[in-house]
C-alpha cells in the first residue's frame, strides 16, 4: 500500500469507506465482489498484492466463515494453525497422521513439499554426566564462613 502514490492511496481510502460497515462477509468471494464494485466505482484497478493487503487489514479469523480457497479450489492454510509433528523414522507419514493427528484435528493435512527427514540427537541424554550437588552441611558451612567474613569487613569499615 505504501508503494502507491498519495492520490491513489486517497482514492483507495475513499473507495473502502463506501463498503457497507454493517455487513459481515463470511465468504471471500462475496467480499471480493463488493470490493471490486467499490474499486470500480472509484475508477481504481489494483493488483493482487494490494488486494492481499486489504484482506489482511480488514479481515479476521472466523470459525463460522467459509474456508478460503486458492484459484484452483484448494483450501488455503491458516498460518496461525500451522503445526509440526515429529514422526518416528521408519513410519509412513500418512499412516502416522491418520492414526495420531486426524482423530483430534479432522481437517488437518500434510504439505509434503515441506516434509523434512532428519534425526534428533538428544545431546543431554548421550553426553550429560550427572554431578550431585555438594552436601547441605558443606554449603551451610560455606555460607556461615562468608557471613562471618562480611561481618569482619564491615567491622573494619566502622573502626
Amino acid at each position: 500500500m505504501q508503494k502507491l502514490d498519495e492520490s491513489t492511496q486517497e482514492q483507495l481510502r475513499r473507495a473502502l469507506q463506501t463498503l457497507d460497515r454493517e455487513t459481515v462477509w463470511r465468504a471471500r468471494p462475496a467480499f471480493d465482489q463488493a470490493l471490486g464494485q467499490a474499486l470500480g466505482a472509484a475508477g481504481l484497478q489494483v493488483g493482487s498484492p494490494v488486494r492481499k493487503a486489504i484482506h489482511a487489514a480488514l479481515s479476521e479469523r472466523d470459525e463460522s466463515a467459509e474456508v478460503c480457497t486458492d484459484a484452483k479450489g484448494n483450501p488455503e492454510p491458516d498460518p496461525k494453525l500451522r503445526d509440526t509433528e515429529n514422526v518416528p523414522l521408519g513410519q509412513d507419514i500418512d499412516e502416522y497422521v491418520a492414526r495420531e493427528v486426524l482423530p483430534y484435528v479432522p481437517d488437518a493435512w500434510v504439505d509434503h513439499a515441506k516434509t523434512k527427514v532428519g534425526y534428533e540427537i538428544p545431546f543431554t541424554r548421550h553426553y550429560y554426566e550427572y554431578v550431585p550437588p555438594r552436601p547441605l552441611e558443606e554449603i551451610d558451612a560455606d555460607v556461615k564462613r562468608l557471613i562471618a567474613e562480611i561481618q569482619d569487613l564491615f567491622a573494619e569499615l566502622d573502626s
Side-chain angles (χ1 to χ4, degrees), residues 24-29 31 59-69 78 107:
V24 176
W25 290 278
R26 298 198 190 285
R28 187 186 293 170
F31 175 74
S59 65
E60 63 183 39
R61 194 167 190 293
D62 185 358
E63 291 290 333
S64 64
E66 287 183 17
V67 174
C68 293
T69 57
D78 185 348
D107 58 345

Side-chain angles (χ1 to χ4, degrees), residues 17-35:
Q17 288 174 349
T18 64
L19 290 173
D20 183 12
R21 293 178 186 220
E22 301 300 317
T23 302
V24 176
W25 290 278
R26 298 198 190 285
R28 187 186 293 170
F31 175 74
D32 281 339
Q33 183 179 5
L35 177 62

Side-chain angles (χ1 to χ4, degrees), residues 15-16 18-19 28-46 51 54-55:
L16 291 174
T18 64
L19 290 173
R28 187 186 293 170
F31 175 74
D32 281 339
Q33 183 179 5
L35 177 62
Q37 289 172 353
L39 293 174
L44 282 174
Q45 287 192 1
V46 295
R51 283 184 178 263
I54 292 170
H55 286 150

Side-chain angles (χ1 to χ4, degrees), residues 1-14 44:
M1 298 281 282
Q2 292 176 348
K3 293 181 180 179
L4 300 174
D5 60 70
E6 291 278 332
S7 65
T8 307
Q9 286 183 18
E10 187 55 39
Q11 283 180 310
L12 185 58
R13 275 191 213 99
R14 276 194 245 113
L44 282 174

Side-chain angles (χ1 to χ4, degrees), residues 15-158:
L16 291 174
Q17 288 174 349
T18 64
L19 290 173
D20 183 12
R21 293 178 186 220
E22 301 300 317
T23 302
V24 176
W25 290 278
R26 298 198 190 285
R28 187 186 293 170
F31 175 74
D32 281 339
Q33 183 179 5
L35 177 62
Q37 289 172 353
L39 293 174
L44 282 174
Q45 287 192 1
V46 295
S48 179
V50 174
R51 283 184 178 263
K52 284 184 181 181
I54 292 170
H55 286 150
L58 299 180
S59 65
E60 63 183 39
R61 194 167 190 293
D62 185 358
E63 291 290 333
S64 64
E66 287 183 17
V67 174
C68 293
T69 57
D70 62 13
K72 296 179 183 177
N74 299 322
E76 290 183 358
D78 185 348
K80 292 180 181 168
L81 296 178
R82 188 169 290 145
D83 198 5
T84 60
E85 286 286 324
N86 291 329
V87 179
L89 195 64
Q91 288 191 21
D92 182 68
I93 294 171
D94 294 321
E95 289 175 9
Y96 177 87
V97 169
R99 184 180 68 246
E100 301 291 336
V101 177
L102 293 178
Y104 306 102
V105 187
D107 58 345
W109 75 88
V110 176
D111 184 357
H112 288 286
K114 295 183 181 179
T115 301
K116 297 179 185 176
V117 176
Y119 298 94
E120 180 180 1
I121 301 172
F123 288 103
T124 304
R125 186 184 322 155
H126 294 291
Y127 300 109
Y128 177 74
E129 292 183 21
Y130 176 73
V131 177
R134 298 183 302 160
L136 186 57
E137 296 80 21
E138 189 179 316
I139 296 171
D140 195 34
D142 280 349
V143 169
K144 287 180 182 176
R145 181 184 54 76
L146 290 171
I147 290 173
E149 207 175 295
I150 292 169
Q151 287 174 343
D152 289 343
L153 291 172
F154 277 128
E156 285 180 21
L157 288 174
D158 286 338

